[in-house]
């Protein structure tokens, strides 16, 4: 969990420091206040929320549902890209690597989940 928190925090920091470069690597072109606002909401806000939840999950190991939520946040992104793949194709380049990392991290969290009831508190 701490690794997920660190990587998510660093990704948010990179997006804050150089939004145009990160957006370009993701295939985006930021235009106007709304474009930047949307970018910051997703690439900074959601990443920081994921990092915070991962830190909470790491500290509260007695509540595996928190780790499940982190995995859900991570796996939602490649799931959305899979849906988009049916309409426009799979991502390429850096974004394909990011997708693979998100998928691997989310599945790893689920695989390392403490055994017990599926949705145990």
């Amino acid at each position: 969990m701490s690794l997920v928190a660190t990587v998510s925090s660093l990704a948010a920091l990179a997006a804050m420091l150089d939004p145009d470069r990160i957006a370009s690597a993701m295939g985006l072109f930021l235009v106007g206040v709304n474009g930047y606002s949307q970018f910051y909401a997703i690439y900074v806000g959601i990443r920081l929320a994921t990092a915070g939840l991962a830190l909470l999950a790491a500290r509260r190991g007695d509540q595996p549902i928190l780790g499940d939520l982190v995995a859900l946040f991570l796996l939602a992104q490649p799931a959305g890209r899979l849906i988009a793949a049916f309409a426009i194709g799979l991502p390429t380049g850096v974004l394909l690597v990011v997708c693979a990392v998100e998928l691997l991290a989310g599945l790893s969290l689920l695989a390392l989940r403490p055994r017990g009831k599926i949705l145990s508190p």
Side-chain angles (χ1 to χ4, degrees), residues 11-34:
L13 179 62
M16 283 190 291
L17 294 176
D18 197 352
D20 292 308
R21 182 173 171 215
I22 299 299
S24 177
M26 299 298 150
L28 302 171
F29 181 71
L30 303 179
V31 178
V33 174
N34 286 350

Side-chain angles (χ1 to χ4, degrees), residues 95-109:
L95 194 54
L96 184 60
V97 173
V98 168
C99 183
V101 169
E102 292 164 345
L103 187 61
L104 181 64
L107 292 176
S108 295
L109 289 179

Side-chain angles (χ1 to χ4, degrees), residues 28-120:
L28 302 171
F29 181 71
L30 303 179
V31 178
V33 174
N34 286 350
Y36 281 90
S37 180
Q38 187 66 12
F39 176 84
Y40 272 78
I42 296 168
Y43 289 92
V44 177
I46 297 295
R47 296 277 187 212
L48 288 177
T50 302
L53 186 57
L55 280 176
L56 183 61
R59 296 187 75 150
R60 301 292 311 239
D62 60 328
Q63 296 183 3
I65 188 75
L66 296 174
D68 296 345
L69 290 172
V70 174
L72 179 65
F73 267 84
L74 292 172
L75 293 172
Q77 295 169 75
R81 292 187 183 105
L82 179 64
I83 293 167
F86 289 106
I88 57 174
L90 289 172
T92 60
V94 173
L95 194 54
L96 184 60
V97 173
V98 168
C99 183
V101 169
E102 292 164 345
L103 187 61
L104 181 64
L107 292 176
S108 295
L109 289 179
L110 293 178
L112 295 172
R113 185 185 197 285
R115 298 292 173 218
K117 292 188 285 183
I118 290 294
L119 293 175
S120 62

